[in-house]
Amino acid sequence: MKIAIGSDHAGVEYKSAIIKHLEEKGHTVKDFGPATSASVDYPDYIHPVASAVENGEVERGIILCGTGNGAAMTANKHAGIRAALCWRTDIARLARQHNDANILDLPARFVSLQDALGMVDVFLTEAFEGGRHQTRIEKIPCR
Ligand code: RB5
């Protein structure tokens, strides 16, 4: 699968570990940065990930910041994006099954790396259930 990833300085270490994890599993990862842990503004790195998912350049996105909130607020400004802030694997699973989330958003300062990698795996393998959930996600965009 083609996956875009981006973070701020708070998520950059986990970002590297996630990229390694994904590449070992055979995925193609487009890293939108940052490359170092120097302080940055998360919208500069999250908007490009959201755009890549929105325009179909990649199938899914993964974003990280300290709490996950700034990243979620940024990505969810894009009309075609459903970014889910997740801190447990069961929430990541439901974000796919019920919300057809196309971006996984991780709060890097509040989850272990092991849990983050577990959420990544679930996010990439779980299918959307459709049905009543399709009706609901169609009502998300502002008209
Ligand atoms: C950075 O210190 C922190 O504010 C950021 O990673 C994120 O938590 C913002 O929502």
Side-chain angles (χ1 to χ4, degrees), residues 60 84-101 104 106 115 118-129 133:
R60 301 269 170 84
L85 174 57
C86 298
W87 58 97
R88 291 168 35 161
T89 51
D90 46 4
I91 293 176
R93 180 172 290 111
L94 286 164
R96 285 291 311 134
Q97 292 176 342
H98 290 187
N99 311 113
D100 198 17
L104 172 67
L106 297 169
D115 285 350
M119 287 187 272
V120 166
D121 289 342
V122 159
F123 174 70
L124 296 178
T125 52
E126 287 294 330
F128 179 47
E129 287 179 0
H133 302 297

Side-chain angles (χ1 to χ4, degrees), residues 5 7 11-25 29 31 34 62 64 106 112-114 116-118 120-121:
I5 192 165
S7 73
V12 74
E13 270 186 40
Y14 279 22
K15 177 167 69 65
S16 297
I18 291 168
I19 292 169
K20 183 170 177 286
H21 179 74
L22 291 173
E23 289 180 341
E24 281 170 3
K25 286 180 175 260
V29 185
D31 181 7
I62 298 172
L64 310 94
L106 297 169
S112 69
L113 179 58
Q114 186 183 357
L117 296 176
V120 166
D121 289 342

Side-chain angles (χ1 to χ4, degrees), residues 7-11 39-43 64-74 106-110:
S7 73
D8 69 357
H9 50 285
S39 183
V40 294
D41 300 329
Y42 53 80
L64 310 94
C65 69
T67 61
N69 275 323
M73 291 174 190
T74 304
L106 297 169
R109 287 179 174 156
F110 295 89

